[in-house]
Amino acid sequence: GAVVSQHPSWVICKSGTSVKIECRSLDFQATTMFWYRQFPKQSLMLMATSNEGSKATYEQGVEKDKFLINHASLTLSTLTVTSAHPEDSSFYICSARDPGQGVYGYTFGSGTRLTVV
Amino acid sequence: QQQVKQSPQSLIVQKGGIPIINCAYENTAFDYFPWYQQFPGKGPALLIAIRPDVSEKKEGRFTISFNKSAKQFSLHIMDSQPGDSATYFCAASPAGNKLTFGGGTRVLVKP
């Protein structure tokens, strides 16, 4: 089945630094990837939708200059949290649509736990 | 219009019991209704999904019931096991579009 690999699985960084999270589709080409943020005991909140070769579409309230998304290839999307602060500490999850499963094939990565100290 | 409301927030059942989780939506453009299972520290994994053209779908011990007129759908976990203890999310989307998630239900199955 479709596999989405996300790295790192956890990261600790100092306040003010930037952190990059990678999301790779291993066995399919993903023209569209999604980035979510999940706070403890809460649901997944969509941050942005990225399409290969074009700018990401951000959800209302998400700072595009703070959460930089790059989808430079059909198998890789990256999320960079710039100038991270403790309030950015969260669980970040990517998802990719597998065209082989039609318009309904969403596969999720295993998530990245970001802790900003 | 885009909300998906999920209930209950948590529930506890004995092994062998049948946890039932309910979701309601408003957007009539939604035509894909998946359920995801999430364990702590992991990403969500697809359990089962349904389209509006059927009223029920079963996969193993998991059953989705769908009521299009009421705009509601539910997940039943038959013969629940302690290993089913997890957080369950319903979701919905229009064809090929982004998923909207419910608030989640934490299920605990006691041995």
Side-chain angles (χ1 to χ4, degrees):
Chain A
V3 177
V4 172
S5 176
Q6 191 172 338
H7 290 282
S9 57
W10 60 271
V11 58
I12 301 174
C13 71
K14 292 184 176 181
S15 185
T17 62
S18 296
V19 174
K20 180 183 286 187
I21 302 170
E22 292 188 349
C23 179
R24 294 181 184 272
S25 56
L26 297 187
D27 49 2
F28 65 97
Q29 293 184 329
T31 54
T32 303
M33 290 187 173
F34 305 88
W35 287 95
Y36 296 83
R37 180 167 53 182
Q38 185 179 33
F39 291 108
K41 299 184 180 181
Q42 293 189 22
S43 188
L44 286 76
M45 297 302 297
L46 181 65
M47 299 175 67
T49 302
S50 72
N51 294 294
E52 185 266 338
S54 64
K55 290 184 178 180
T57 301
Y58 290 81
E59 295 299 302
Q60 189 173 8
V62 178
E63 301 174 59
K64 61 180 66 176
D65 294 330
K66 181 169 187 60
F67 299 100
L68 302 180
I69 293 173
N70 184 284
H71 193 162
S73 79
L74 287 171
T75 59
L76 174 65
S77 177
T78 61
L79 167 66
T80 301
V81 183
T82 62
S83 186
H85 289 91
E87 58 265 31
D88 298 323
S89 297
S90 188
F91 193 53
Y92 292 87
I93 309 169
C94 69
S95 172
R97 181 183 295 137
D98 177 8
Q101 298 183 47
V103 297
Y104 304 107
Y106 304 92
T107 302
F108 285 81
S110 56
T112 297
R113 172 74 59 194
L114 170 63
T115 302
V116 185
V117 298
Chain B
Q1 190 73 356
Q2 291 292 322
Q3 276 191 322
V4 177
K5 296 182 179 179
Q6 184 171 346
S7 63
Q9 288 186 318
S10 64
L11 62 94
I12 302 172
V13 299
Q14 293 294 133
K15 177 182 175 182
I18 305 176
I20 301 173
I21 307 169
N22 301 296
C23 285
Y25 65 97
E26 297 178 355
N27 189 347
T28 55
F30 288 153
D31 72 344
Y32 173 65
F33 303 89
W35 285 90
Y36 290 89
Q37 180 189 57
Q38 186 181 32
F39 293 105
K42 301 295 184 183
L46 179 66
L47 268 180
I48 185 172
I50 199 168
R51 299 284 313 284
D53 51 347
V54 297
S55 60
E56 185 176 276
K57 183 176 181 180
K58 293 182 180 180
E59 285 188 5
R61 294 185 294 108
F62 300 97
T63 300
I64 297 180
S65 297
F66 185 84
N67 185 329
K68 186 175 181 179
S69 61
K71 290 186 283 187
Q72 296 176 347
F73 58 110
S74 61
L75 176 70
H76 295 59
I77 305 174
M78 306 301 181
D79 186 28
S80 60
Q81 302 296 314
D84 296 329
S85 297
T87 300
Y88 293 83
F89 293 96
C90 63
S93 78
N97 213 319
K98 57 189 178 184
L99 287 168
T100 298
F101 281 86
T105 298
R106 301 181 77 186
V107 174
L108 175 62
V109 181
K110 290 189 171 182

